Amino acid sequence: MKKSFIIASILTVTLGMSVQAQDSPRESVSFGLKVGANYSNVWDKQGQDFQADGKFGFAGGLFVGIPFSELLGFQPELMISQKGMQASGTLFGTAYSNKRTTTYLDVPLQLQIKPADFLTVVVGPQYSFLLHEKNVYTFGSNSIEQEQEFENDNVRKNVLGFVAGVDVMVSHFVISGRTSFDFLNNNGDGSSVTPRYKNLLVQLTVGYKF
């Protein structure tokens, strides 16, 4: 009787440990939604006669966590992300200012590194597709030629980049910080004389993981 009790106790403890391991948040497929803000600017604008300041924009979308092991996983995301800048410079020898808002569909493909249940580090490539661009121009001499040059600009729609960041879990809520930058500039065919640059941003979102 005593031997049977000991065996039953061992089986119970073993089963409990197995269930706990399967339910570990680092080894379970998860998905969720998140929303927040970007602070964007530009980089690698060599040879360009303009000065750029950052601007705030919307960020929101969904994510999926796919575990490979307790320590590693894969996290693709689908994000609507507003980028852009506030710029001033010269074009055809005349001063101008431009507030540019570009709305992208960002697809980060991130490797997860999970040192703890509450902390995930992510890093990987990012594909971005330009959905919409809005410009607000001010020209020093109200130049029609300048405005036409901006409106006819051949903007690159498909962009590759890099993203890195951290996710912090608080119960089912996720606080995420990201930084990303483009490898390719915004100039589609290399013929434009309007500002050429690569996007750069810092992003903060709050999400809910199901």
Side-chain angles (χ1 to χ4, degrees), residues 169-207:
M169 286 288 300
V170 182
S171 185
H172 283 278
F173 293 94
V174 186
I175 301 171
S176 301
R178 298 284 188 274
T179 183
S180 68
F181 58 86
D182 293 343
F183 293 141
L184 303 175
N185 66 34
N186 66 309
N187 188 5
D189 62 3
S191 63
S192 175
V193 296
T194 61
R196 295 190 300 275
Y197 57 83
K198 298 174 183 177
N199 288 298
L200 169 70
L201 68 79
V202 176
Q203 182 183 94
L204 181 65
T205 61
V206 176

Side-chain angles (χ1 to χ4, degrees), residues 24 31 72 79 91 104 121 147 154 157 197 200:
S24 170
F31 70 95
L72 297 176
M79 299 288 293
L91 183 64
Y104 283 86
V121 179
E147 186 166 0
N154 180 26
K157 292 185 178 295
Y197 57 83
L200 169 70

Side-chain angles (χ1 to χ4, degrees), residues 90-111:
T90 59
L91 183 64
F92 303 133
T94 304
Y96 73 88
S97 64
N98 177 21
K99 184 176 181 180
R100 174 169 292 180
T101 302
T102 49
T103 302
Y104 283 86
L105 177 65
D106 284 344
V107 185
L109 303 174
Q110 302 159 126
L111 174 69

Side-chain angles (χ1 to χ4, degrees), residues 15-100:
L15 179 61
M17 291 176 65
S18 175
V19 170
Q20 184 178 17
Q22 291 176 359
D23 290 340
S24 170
R26 287 190 283 177
E27 295 187 72
S28 303
V29 175
S30 60
F31 70 95
L33 304 173
K34 60 181 180 177
V35 64
N38 293 332
Y39 183 74
S40 62
N41 207 328
V42 298
W43 73 287
D44 193 19
K45 49 181 182 164
Q46 295 181 5
Q48 297 299 292
D49 188 15
F50 75 98
Q51 297 294 324
D53 295 317
K55 66 184 296 294
F56 287 96
F58 171 82
L62 54 89
F63 60 91
V64 179
I66 304 170
F68 297 150
S69 67
E70 187 178 2
L71 296 177
L72 297 176
F74 176 56
Q75 183 167 315
E77 299 183 1
L78 198 62
M79 299 288 293
I80 299 296
S81 184
Q82 287 186 330
K83 307 174 188 181
M85 61 174 180
Q86 303 179 82
S88 60
T90 59
L91 183 64
F92 303 133
T94 304
Y96 73 88
S97 64
N98 177 21
K99 184 176 181 180
R100 174 169 292 180

